[in-house]
Amino acid sequence: MTEKFESLNPATGDVVGTYPIHDEADVAAAVARAREAAVWWSTLSFAGRREYLDKWNAVITRRVMQLANVSHEETGKPHGDAQLEIMIAIDHIAWAGSHAEKVLGPKKVSSGLLMANQAATVEYRPLGVVGVIGPWNYPVLTPMGSIAYALAAGNAVVFKPSEFSPGVGTWLADAWTEIAPEHPVLQVITGLGATGAALCKAGVNKLAFTGSTATGKKVMAACAETLTPVVIEAGGKDSIIVDSDADVPAAADAALWGAMSNAGQTCIGMERAYVHERVYDQFIRELKAKAKAVELSAEPGGLVGPITMPSQLKVIASHIADAAARGGTFVLGGPNSVGDRYVQPTIITDVPEDSIAITEETFGPTLTVKKVSSMDEAVELTNATRYGLGASIFAKERGMELARRVRSGMASVNSVMAFAGVPSLPFGGVGDSGFGRIHGADGLREFTYAKAITRQRMKPLLAAMTFERTAKTEKAAAQLMTVLRGRATTMPKFKK
Ligand code: NDP
């Protein structure tokens, strides 16, 4: 008999649903079904696939409240936040479906001088079956960055949602079944970590993982055994940088939302703030005033919900305790901010840069704020992390310059986390935040392989790739290359 596990409401501990723990055999069977479905799916035209994706998207759109409710119950996040997340995901599905042909379809490219007799074409072919392993914090949007883009590129998907959000994953796969019952192009498998581990070994053609850096390393190691390529979307320690000419109230608002929304359980959430000394006092004042309104609540209409994964409470508590022990000053909250299910929004200043509250991902509603004397210092401290996911810059003059100097896959100037909602922008990180990209054209190409084709249009002027090549041809080729490439067109300039 298949074992089961329960999905619990993190605010109350109530059982929200019961789901099977799929074992290796179940996972293998799902991948085998997906392989068959992938053959059918990959033979459809881009327009044909788009039609199915649009139908699926319409089901999600019409029932957005229902799906938001499942997400609210499983993660504890406010209903409005769940709805916003789903709406962004809907936009991504639409973009992936409508841009796949332009990005992945055959394109003629220049064939170069030596191969001028060839027509050259590049196109991007589906890989086959893509395994997607997702986290619970944005249970619709984060896996959708892989699911929708992999599907639009012509792959079938087997999705393993987090054990904390199996209902959301199941809902999405059920919606697919409703529009294409004969073709299991999107399937869900549920269970604990072992089910995800089984998916890594099941012979999928690519594994897209979103979750912690520690699990990402395990996934990569497991996939290495079968040379299964991976996309790793892992943790972050993003900061908000506030320059002296910034709109300070707007920066404080963004810092608060970026740090505390979704109870701080956001990979691209703000965990650190570096603020220019000229506006630091004003920033702290604004932050404090705005933070008063941010209350904890289990209600669907609340602002900040519970911590979804109980084990994270210990991590958050240890970061706050370290900051306190190392001389941190609490602007909001205090050493006892962490409760049984909830964490009070906590803002701490004067935290040494080598405290774990600064160096490790906290994944709770906390923010450290540091006064800096220049933007050079802000960039240097921001970059002094193993992670490199996103960043937010508030500045009038130097926003773009500072955004470029931060070592991160993404940045928002004068807003926070905006890049995640722009479907045409790639999403992903560097360093311990992972590699590979979801979203945008890069996200579509991530789930394909490049196919290069040449077609001979006429006989070559110089028949070089044949055993019938003559010494005359070799000489002519050498002369041609000397004329064309033997002289630098722009000579380097030397100072006299
Ligand atoms: P985890 O790393 O704990 O889990 C992620 C997924 O991996 C879950 O589905 C989990 O299953 C599964 N898993 C666990 N063990 C294994 C294993 N050995 N092999 C294969 N799969 C396994 O992360 P969380 O779910 O706690 O998510 C929070 C983390 O995700 C944070 O670090 C956050 O920063 C990061 N994240 C990154 C994002 C990005 O785009 N860069 C976006 C969102 C979150 P189960 O839950 O059943 O154990």
Side-chain angles (χ1 to χ4, degrees):
M1 226 186 57
T2 310
E3 271 189 80
K4 304 241 162 149
F5 72 105
E6 288 171 340
S7 171
L8 306 177
N9 180 326
T12 57
D14 291 347
V15 176
V16 177
T18 306
Y19 296 88
I21 298 181
H22 288 124
D23 63 15
E24 267 181 40
D26 299 323
V27 174
V31 172
R33 283 193 298 274
R35 206 160 286 295
E36 224 172 272
V39 173
W40 166 77
W41 186 239
S42 68
T43 52
L44 293 185
S45 63
F46 284 106
R49 284 197 287 267
R50 180 181 178 180
E51 218 171 282
Y52 278 96
L53 284 168
D54 284 348
K55 273 190 202 161
W56 182 49
N57 214 7
V59 173
I60 299 171
T61 309
R62 283 198 303 273
R63 299 192 202 142
V64 69
M65 289 304 190
Q66 196 189 85
L67 179 56
N69 207 34
V70 181
S71 176
H72 164 67
E73 287 201 325
E74 285 195 319
T75 66
K77 70 172 67 190
H79 202 278
D81 285 358
Q83 191 186 323
L84 174 67
E85 178 196 338
I86 300 164
M87 288 188 323
I88 297 173
I90 287 168
D91 219 19
H92 277 288
I93 300 170
W95 193 92
S98 60
H99 286 77
E101 181 161 16
K102 190 168 170 228
V103 174
L104 307 174
K107 267 180 219 65
K108 286 193 177 135
V109 292
S110 151
S111 41
L113 282 171
L114 284 182
M115 296 291 161
N117 63 317
Q118 304 282 347
T121 306
V122 64
E123 60 194 71
Y124 295 86
R125 311 283 311 156
L127 294 165
V129 179
V130 172
V132 174
I133 296 180
W136 44 265
N137 60 337
Y138 289 86
V140 178
L141 181 59
T142 47
M144 195 57 79
S146 299
I147 295 171
Y149 289 78
L151 288 175
N155 304 280
V157 169
V158 178
F159 171 37
K160 151 71 177 74
S162 163
E163 69 193 78
F164 296 98
S165 55
V168 171
T170 304
W171 193 101
L172 290 170
D174 286 351
W176 181 272
T177 308
E178 220 174 289
I179 60 126
E182 269 117 57
H183 301 291
V185 167
L186 171 62
Q187 296 173 77
V188 76
I189 46 166
T190 52
L192 315 180
T195 305
L199 186 57
C200 297
K201 294 183 175 173
V204 292
N205 300 95
K206 187 151 196 169
L207 198 294
F209 170 82
T210 308
S212 64
T213 304
T215 311
K217 289 178 186 173
K218 287 188 201 162
V219 163
M220 200 171 162
C223 286
E225 284 177 30
T226 47
L227 213 61
T228 302
V230 290
V231 185
I232 304 285
E233 299 289 348
K237 190 73 191 175
D238 293 359
S239 74
I240 177 167
I241 293 176
V242 185
D243 202 354
S244 55
D245 63 353
D247 177 341
V248 178
D253 188 62
L256 196 64
W257 164 262
M260 311 304 171
S261 62
N262 208 31
Q265 305 164 112
T266 305
C267 54
I268 47 170
M270 298 297 109
E271 298 207 350
R272 303 175 289 159
Y274 296 107
V275 184
H276 197 285
E277 59 191 6
R278 266 185 248 143
V279 291
Y280 178 83
D281 290 342
Q282 187 195 350
F283 180 80
I284 293 285
R285 263 198 320 275
E286 297 275 358
L287 198 57
K288 222 171 154 177
K290 288 176 195 293
K292 275 191 199 136
V294 182
E295 281 178 2
L296 300 174
S297 166
E299 293 305 312
L303 293 181
V304 175
I307 297 302
T308 309
M309 188 169 68
S311 62
Q312 196 63 25
L313 289 161
K314 247 194 201 164
V315 176
I316 303 167
S318 71
H319 288 198
I320 292 175
D322 193 51
R326 308 282 301 278
T329 306
F330 288 87
V331 172
L332 191 74
N336 300 322
S337 286
V338 178
D340 286 346
R341 295 184 191 276
Y342 290 85
V343 177
Q344 290 288 342
T346 302
I347 299 171
I348 323 173
T349 59
D350 310 316
V351 182
E353 290 294 302
D354 61 351
S355 156
I356 52 171
I358 303 276
T359 59
E360 307 282 329
E361 184 182 47
T362 307
F363 226 53
T366 65
L367 180 71
T368 61
V369 188
K370 183 173 171 63
K371 187 194 290 185
V372 291
S373 57
S374 70
M375 286 299 99
D376 286 347
E377 186 186 358
V379 171
E380 196 183 320
L381 293 174
T382 288
N383 288 347
T385 170
R386 310 191 309 272
Y387 296 106
L389 199 52
S392 170
I393 321 289
F394 273 77
K396 280 204 182 80
E397 282 288 311
R398 299 175 61 191
M400 290 301 284
E401 176 214 325
L402 296 169
R404 290 193 177 103
R405 283 173 57 191
V406 171
R407 180 179 166 271
S408 67
M410 303 152 297
S412 295
V413 177
N414 295 330
S415 70
V416 68
M417 304 191 275
F419 46 75
V422 179
S424 50
L425 280 178
F427 187 103
V430 296
D432 270 14
S433 294
F435 53 83
R437 292 293 181 267
I438 56 173
H439 301 176
D442 298 83
L444 282 167
R445 282 193 208 103
E446 191 72 53
F447 299 104
T448 62
Y449 64 93
K451 177 89 177 198
I453 306 176
T454 58
R455 182 180 53 77
Q456 181 154 304
R457 290 186 297 200
M458 57 182 128
K459 289 228 162 94
L461 279 176
L462 295 170
M465 293 168 112
T466 165
F467 287 120
E468 290 170 13
R469 190 174 63 205
T470 61
K472 201 172 147 199
T473 307
E474 286 174 10
K475 194 172 165 201
Q479 277 172 345
L480 180 67
M481 285 318 272
T482 308
V483 171
L484 294 172
R485 303 275 188 238
R487 209 158 25 107
T489 47
T490 48
M491 297 300 284
K493 284 183 185 143
F494 297 105
K495 277 190 185 154
K496 284 186 185 154

